[in-house]
Amino acid sequence: MDWTAYLPMLWQGAFVTMTITLASIAVGAVLAFVFGIMRVEGGPILSTIALCYTEVFRGTSLLVQLFWFYYALPLVGLSFDPITTGILVLAAHAGGYGAEIVRGALSSVSTQQLEAARALNFSRLQTLFRVSLPQAIVEMMPAFGNLAIETLKLSSLVSLISIADLTFAAQSIRNITLDSTSIYSITLLCYFAMSLVLMVAIRVVERLVRRGQAFPQMPRS
Amino acid sequence: MTEDNTAPIIEFSNVAKRFGPLTVLDDFNFTVRKGEKVTLIGPSGSGKSTVLRILMTLEPFQDGRLTLSGMSYHEPNGKGPFKASERHLRQIRTHVGMVFQSFNLFPHMTVLRNVVEAPLRVLGIARAEAECRALQLLDMVGLADKKDFYPSQLSGGQQQRVAIARALAMRPRVLLFDEPTSALDPQLVGEVLSVIRGLAHEHDLTMLLVTHEMRFAREVSDRVCFFDKGRICEQGAPDEIFGAPREARTREFLSSVLA
């Protein structure tokens, strides 16, 4: 069997991987902002909830989280289809790390900026959305880029809850053909190509939040 | 030139401000009349900037009483370090504006947006009107042609002039200047001082200025206050303070900065 014969199956798997990754990044970004903002601005109760969320999802194994949501949760009566489970767990995982990025960037906004906002009589929410976040988001972008690529690579774990993603497809073909070398080489290249596309997309977003001339120097790290 | 018989707009009575064990203001009394231009001078750490920061509600104070246009900073049942609700503090802030040593312009906004944003969002002024007024103010500080630039593309002196326009756009009754030229290269100081000098002729605007520019203080102020160790050691008309200081500490300080 010629290696080009693997491509249609791998392509199908790659499509599933892309779907899951992009959906997880989108949902994860929302979670990251919600919980990150809660950490900084939420007051004692909300920030403790956000702290628990980030620590649970950062402090436990992603694979076990997947198994828990896929095998254990249905036993208490809540079940989703595998794809939804995969997206939710990956998103929650990315959201946990993302919330820390958001928290860090928000707390790095200088007090001078906050004092200027106060002197102009901005409300707390106006200060957050008009002064802090637009500056913090520039600081977040490099870390968010890493997290997006990390999410792509971690998405291969969803093959273990029976989702036919790229890794799953590679495993299936290998089980039939035993041609490990070419299959895994092609698979690695596929992941690499996808992460390249992600990196370019992140650069574009980064340029947008930098607003051209506003932040000419690299942000302080 | 001020009306001597108007009620004070700012009144500190027996105010104490402590940072932990450090006492910055001690039994502090200070009144400013409407429209008065007052310069605060003195060695660093003497509490001059703290007075401005308390007025801007950037710092709480512990004891005593402070009123602005008759409004007390502390509420009778106020909680937290400010002993007042955020709502009450925002009410006070509508009367005060501040120009900072390091400009503190918003780096992600153009010059025009920096000036327009607060009138638009906080005062709820219509965009066309807010922009028209912002352009007038930028024209007054000589920077109307830079309205679409970002702060990072301007010199320090230009940034500070934008910051003055931004503060004025909120129509404060009291404008505070916290060492507005200390962060500037010497050749940029003049352009900022000339903008402030222009404001000194605004009859209704009360100005408090912390500065190390002694010649400028002498020229624009109605009154000069010399601060030492959290109190006003000596105050009076500029010619008295600079020409014939009574206190030994004042003479010492002036001879060290004018030397």
Side-chain angles (χ1 to χ4, degrees), chain B:
Chain B
M1 299 302 107
T2 54
E3 317 93 303
D4 275 323
N5 42 10
T6 49
I9 186 167
I10 295 168
E11 196 160 17
F12 284 78
S13 4
N14 311 106
V15 167
K17 167 68 186 168
R18 291 179 287 269
F19 290 103
L22 182 74
T23 300
V24 184
L25 295 178
D26 183 21
D27 197 19
F28 181 73
N29 294 291
F30 179 47
T31 54
V32 180
R33 290 185 312 278
K34 184 168 179 273
E36 203 179 4
K37 317 289 185 262
V38 183
T39 306
L40 317 184
I41 61 170
S44 57
S46 58
K48 343 178 266 302
S49 288
T50 307
V51 168
L52 301 196
R53 294 175 56 80
I54 286 175
L55 278 167
M56 194 62 254
T57 72
L58 301 177
E59 298 281 355
F61 58 95
Q62 283 82 28
D63 300 321
R65 188 178 152 77
L66 169 60
T67 58
L68 180 92
S69 303
M71 255 188 309
S72 172
Y73 274 55
H74 288 170
E75 283 186 302
N77 298 312
K79 293 186 173 57
F82 285 94
K83 297 181 193 158
S85 63
E86 179 64 18
R87 191 193 157 92
H88 182 72
L89 295 175
R90 289 193 74 194
Q91 186 69 37
I92 292 171
R93 281 180 212 134
T94 58
H95 299 264
V96 200
M98 186 156 178
V99 174
F100 297 89
Q101 182 177 354
S102 42
F103 336 131
N104 304 8
L105 291 181
F106 302 128
H108 56 294
M109 298 181 188
T110 61
V111 163
L112 182 64
R113 253 198 83 198
N114 260 286
V115 181
V116 150
E117 194 72 3
L120 210 57
R121 311 288 169 195
V122 180
L123 302 181
I125 293 174
R127 178 173 292 275
E129 192 191 334
E131 286 189 353
C132 173
R133 165 120 172 105
L135 285 171
Q136 283 172 10
L137 287 167
L138 286 174
D139 193 44
M140 188 196 85
V141 300
L143 289 170
D145 57 326
K146 304 279 189 204
K147 69 182 171 70
D148 296 321
F149 284 53
Y150 284 97
S152 58
Q153 297 168 296
L154 303 182
S155 73
Q158 291 171 328
Q159 289 188 50
Q160 192 62 296
R161 282 145 65 196
V162 174
I164 293 171
R166 180 176 74 167
L168 286 170
M170 294 298 281
R171 301 174 184 272
R173 296 182 197 176
V174 177
L175 190 51
L176 312 169
F177 292 89
D178 189 8
E179 304 197 24
T181 57
S182 299
L184 297 174
D185 291 338
Q187 76 273 20
L188 302 178
V189 169
E191 62 188 64
V192 172
L193 291 186
S194 74
V195 168
I196 301 175
R197 190 179 292 122
L199 291 176
H201 301 303
E202 298 271 335
H203 195 69
D204 288 334
L205 184 68
T206 306
M207 268 172 43
L208 264 64
L209 173 73
V210 171
T211 187
H212 296 295
E213 301 286 333
M214 296 303 157
R215 278 177 52 196
F216 183 70
R218 185 167 190 168
E219 174 194 344
V220 299
S221 6
D222 300 315
R223 174 161 53 122
V224 176
C225 299
F226 172 68
F227 275 63
D228 192 42
K229 300 190 178 94
R231 289 178 185 237
I232 296 172
C233 175
E234 180 171 2
Q235 59 180 316
D239 287 340
E240 291 171 32
I241 298 289
F242 292 108
R246 294 184 306 272
E247 301 288 330
R249 280 293 294 130
T250 317
R251 281 195 294 272
E252 218 172 289
F253 173 77
L254 287 176
S255 67
S256 72
V257 292
L258 294 175

Side-chain angles (χ1 to χ4, degrees), chain A residues 205-221:
Chain A
V205 177
E206 193 172 349
R207 194 164 292 187
L208 282 178
V209 300
R210 283 182 162 273
R211 296 158 197 250
Q213 307 296 321
F215 296 95
Q217 293 99 21
M218 285 302 285
R220 288 160 291 107
S221 54

Side-chain angles (χ1 to χ4, degrees), chain A residues 23-86:
Chain A
S24 307
I25 290 172
V27 178
V30 173
L31 292 174
F33 277 101
V34 168
F35 286 100
I37 289 171
M38 275 164 66
R39 278 295 299 282
V40 183
E41 293 284 332
I45 297 170
L46 288 181
S47 73
T48 311
I49 293 172
L51 177 71
C52 293
Y53 162 76
T54 50
E55 292 312 320
V56 165
F57 278 93
R58 293 195 314 152
T60 55
S61 146
L62 176 61
L63 185 55
V64 181
Q65 288 167 17
L66 279 168
F67 286 160
W68 195 87
F69 279 86
Y70 188 63
Y71 296 112
L73 205 55
L75 299 181
V76 293
L78 204 61
S79 68
F80 303 104
D81 63 277
I83 299 265
T84 311
T85 309

Side-chain angles (χ1 to χ4, degrees), chain A residues 1-10 173:
Chain A
M1 204 169 162
D2 181 37
W3 65 268
T4 51
Y6 310 147
L7 290 181
M9 244 183 112
L10 287 175
I173 302 169

